[in-house]
Amino acid sequence: AMHEGHIVSAQELTVLLQSLFTQNSRNLVLFLQDRLSVDDFTYLSESYGNKNPFQNQVNKLFINLLQEILQSSPSSLVLPAVDCEATRYLLSFLQESGDWKLTNVTDLNVSQLEVNASEGNLLVVQLQPLLSQLTECVKLCIFLFTDKIIERVTMDLQERGINFSVIYTAMRPSRISRRTDVVAELRRQLMATEEEDGLSYPPLNMTTGNYTCILFYASNFSLKANSSVFIDLTNATFVTQNVDISDSECSDSNTTLSLKYTKPVNGISSLEIRFLMTNKFYEGSARQWSTLDSVEIIQDEEKFAKFNVSVISAPAEYSFHCQLVGTSNLYPARLVPANNEAKNWDVFISSLQIQGFNIENNQFSYASDCTGFFTPGIWMGLVTSVILLWILTYGIHMIMQLTTNSRFDDPKGPALSVPQTE
C-alpha cells in the first residue's frame, strides 16, 4: 500500500521485488515499453467516460483497482508511481539478481516458447514504442495491440499450467503533470524543465586535451545478437560509464567514437561498437556537413558486423537528433546491414543525439532532427488545398464560359426565331 503521490525509489523497488526471488515458482514475464504512465490507464478507463480497451486479465485487474481508488477518494488524488530512474535499469537489475534463463519474445507466435518450469525463467517482451508525438487515437490503437500481446503470452503460460509473475513497465513516463498554481514566469521555467526531462544523465563525452570533440547520448541503447541475446548498454555507457573510449579518434574531417565493453553479457567476452563520422564540404549547399557514415560491431575481436547509415547528417555546426534509430524498417533513421554478420544483430537506439565536430562549452549545439519538414499533417493540408484550388479554378472556368443572349423577344412584334445553328 502506497500513499497518494508517493514515488517509489530504486531502493524501495528492490525491496518490493525480493518476493520474486524467494518464491518457489520463479517465472517472470517483463513487458517493457519505451514510455508509460499511470495516467495512460486512468485516461483510457471508464472513469473518464471512455470504453475500457483492455481485455486481458493483467490490465483488467489494474484498471479495476484504479477505478476503486478513484471512486473511493474523497478529494483530488495523485496516484503513486515508480521513479523512472528505477525502471530504466530494471532489466539489468533482474538479470543480476538471479540465475534466470533469459528469453526475448520478439514475435506473436508465443506457442513456440520453451519454458522449463523447474528453473527460473525471465521472459522479456519488447512492446511497440509509444512516441510522444502520436495522437490519442493512434495511442489507443497501440494500447489495443499491446493488450493483445499481453493476453496471448499470459494465456499461453496459463494453458501450460505454469505459475508466473508479470511486470508491465517502461523506461520513462509518457505523461508529465504540469502544475497550474504557479505564476507565468515559473510556468515557462517548468515547461522548459519538462522538455529537458529526457537528459536525466549527462551525455558521454570524448575529450582530447582540454576540449570535447565527441558528444553521444541515448535514452536507450541496446542490441540483440542472433535474435536471442539481449544486451542493454544504456547503464554501462551513460550512468556507470563502464566503457572504454580510449580508441576514439577526432580530427577536422573524420571522427570515430569507439565504445568497448568487457563481458557485457554471459557468452560475450568483449564487444566494441564504432560510430564513424565524416565532415565534408558540399558545393550544393555551400557549407560543411557532418555525416554518420557507418556503424561497426566487433564481437570477441573476431566477428565483424558493419551497418551503412541512412539520413543521419547535419550541418557541421549542429548536432544530430533522432527519436528512433536502429535496424527496423519502421525507424526514421535506419542501420542497413552491409555484410552477412550484420544480419545477426538488431540495434535499437532511442532519443539518439550525437555530435562529432565543432563542440563548444562541452554542450550539444542546436540539433538537426531526423523528422522531415513535410510531416503527414503538412502533406494532408497541401493535398486538400490543391483539391480545393482545382475545384475553384474549374468553377471559375465554367462561369467564364457562360454567354448572354444577343437578341430578345418584343411582346408587340412577331416571335423571335433563333436558328438551331446559333
Side-chain angles (χ1 to χ4, degrees):
M2 297 292 177
H3 61 80
E4 295 84 349
H6 178 71
I7 304 298
V8 179
S9 64
Q11 183 177 3
E12 293 173 323
L13 182 62
T14 302
V15 176
L16 292 174
L17 295 177
Q18 289 302 317
S19 59
L20 297 175
F21 312 134
T22 57
Q23 60 186 4
N24 295 330
S25 177
R26 294 176 58 247
N27 297 303
L28 178 62
V29 184
L30 175 61
F31 295 100
L32 198 58
Q33 210 155 22
D34 64 329
R35 296 169 179 261
L36 189 68
S37 295
V38 177
D39 307 75
D40 294 318
F41 291 92
T42 56
Y43 177 79
L44 296 172
S45 68
E46 295 177 355
S47 302
Y48 273 70
N50 297 326
K51 184 178 180 181
N52 186 3
F54 302 109
Q55 301 299 322
N56 73 78
Q57 296 299 321
V58 176
N59 285 332
K60 274 187 174 180
L61 290 174
F62 186 55
I63 286 292
N64 293 334
L65 176 62
L66 288 178
Q67 290 178 349
E68 292 178 3
I69 296 176
L70 292 172
Q71 293 173 1
S72 62
S73 177
S75 60
S76 60
L77 176 68
V78 179
L79 294 170
V82 180
D83 186 8
C84 62
E85 291 296 327
T87 60
R88 182 170 293 148
Y89 314 112
L90 178 61
L91 179 58
S92 301
F93 167 74
L94 292 175
Q95 290 179 283
E96 297 171 357
S97 301
D99 186 16
W100 302 95
K101 178 186 176 183
L102 179 63
T103 303
N104 290 278
V105 183
T106 56
D107 53 22
L108 299 182
N109 191 11
V110 296
S111 60
Q112 296 181 356
L113 284 177
E114 297 181 359
V115 180
N116 187 358
S118 62
E119 61 182 15
N121 295 279
L122 176 58
L123 307 180
V124 180
V125 184
Q126 293 283 348
L127 300 174
Q128 187 171 356
L130 188 68
L131 303 181
S132 58
Q133 63 266 29
L134 298 178
T135 63
E136 295 297 335
C137 181
V138 177
K139 288 182 180 180
L140 176 60
C141 294
I142 293 179
F143 272 114
L144 289 172
F145 182 70
T146 298
D147 187 74
K148 293 296 183 183
I149 296 178
I150 296 177
E151 181 180 20
R152 293 191 63 176
V153 174
T154 54
M155 288 298 295
D156 180 78
L157 296 176
Q158 289 179 1
E159 291 174 356
R160 301 186 195 182
I162 299 176
N163 297 323
F164 59 92
S165 301
V166 174
I167 296 178
Y168 181 22
T169 187
M171 298 294 185
R172 56 183 300 185
S174 61
R175 298 168 183 262
I176 302 176
S177 301
R178 294 183 177 179
R179 294 174 52 191
T180 58
D181 56 341
V182 293
V183 295
E185 293 83 2
L186 291 180
R187 179 174 178 82
R188 288 194 296 268
Q189 183 178 357
L190 286 173
M191 292 177 65
T193 303
E194 291 164 4
E195 293 175 355
E196 297 174 358
D197 179 69
L199 287 171
S200 55
Y201 43 75
L204 179 70
N205 61 64
M206 168 62 188
T207 59
T208 56
N210 296 325
Y211 71 96
T212 301
C213 63
I214 304 176
L215 286 175
F216 174 64
Y217 173 84
S219 63
N220 186 10
F221 182 28
S222 56
L223 310 173
K224 187 179 295 183
N226 299 317
S227 300
S228 59
V229 182
F230 182 77
I231 310 172
D232 188 355
L233 302 175
T234 310
N235 188 29
T237 305
F238 303 105
V239 181
T240 62
Q241 294 194 356
N242 187 20
V243 57
D244 182 11
I245 59 174
S246 59
D247 286 347
S248 300
E249 299 177 355
C250 297
S251 69
D252 294 337
S253 58
N254 294 280
T255 294
T256 300
L257 174 61
S258 175
L259 307 175
K260 288 186 176 181
Y261 306 89
T262 303
K263 293 184 178 180
V265 292
N266 294 332
I268 298 179
S269 60
S270 65
L271 185 68
E272 181 181 3
I273 304 175
R274 298 173 182 169
F275 295 84
L276 286 77
M277 304 180 65
T278 58
N279 184 18
K280 297 180 180 179
F281 179 82
Y282 290 86
E283 297 181 356
S285 59
R287 68 182 307 172
Q288 299 281 135
W289 284 76
S290 63
T291 305
L292 179 59
D293 296 322
S294 61
V295 176
E296 300 174 350
I297 301 177
I298 303 175
Q299 176 188 346
D300 299 330
E301 298 182 355
E302 55 182 20
K303 295 182 180 180
F304 177 78
K306 182 178 180 180
F307 299 87
N308 294 326
V309 184
S310 65
V311 300
I312 296 187
S313 61
E317 300 82 9
Y318 295 171
S319 63
F320 176 84
H321 175 269
C322 195
Q323 187 65 30
L324 291 174
V325 177
T327 51
S328 173
N329 295 330
L330 302 177
Y331 297 162
R334 285 197 59 207
L335 303 182
V336 183
N339 58 6
N340 292 329
E341 182 64 28
K343 297 178 181 179
N344 299 326
W345 290 89
D346 293 323
V347 183
F348 174 73
I349 308 176
S350 62
S351 300
L352 168 71
Q353 188 166 2
I354 189 170
Q355 184 174 357
F357 306 95
N358 302 315
I359 298 175
E360 298 180 358
N361 301 323
N362 297 329
Q363 294 180 350
F364 280 115
S365 302
Y366 176 84
S368 175
D369 202 273
C370 62
T371 303
F373 176 78
F374 286 97
T375 62
I378 294 178
W379 279 115
M380 291 177 64
L382 289 175
V383 172
T384 304
S385 300
V386 170
I387 293 175
L388 293 177
L389 183 61
W390 180 83
I391 294 175
L392 177 62
T393 304
Y394 179 77
I396 294 176
H397 175 73
M398 295 301 293
I399 292 175
M400 293 178 63
Q401 299 301 315
L402 296 177
T403 58
T404 58
N405 295 332
S406 58
R407 288 175 289 181
F408 301 91
D409 276 332
D410 185 1
K412 298 181 180 180
L416 182 63
S417 177
V418 179
Q420 293 185 1
T421 56
E422 297 184 13

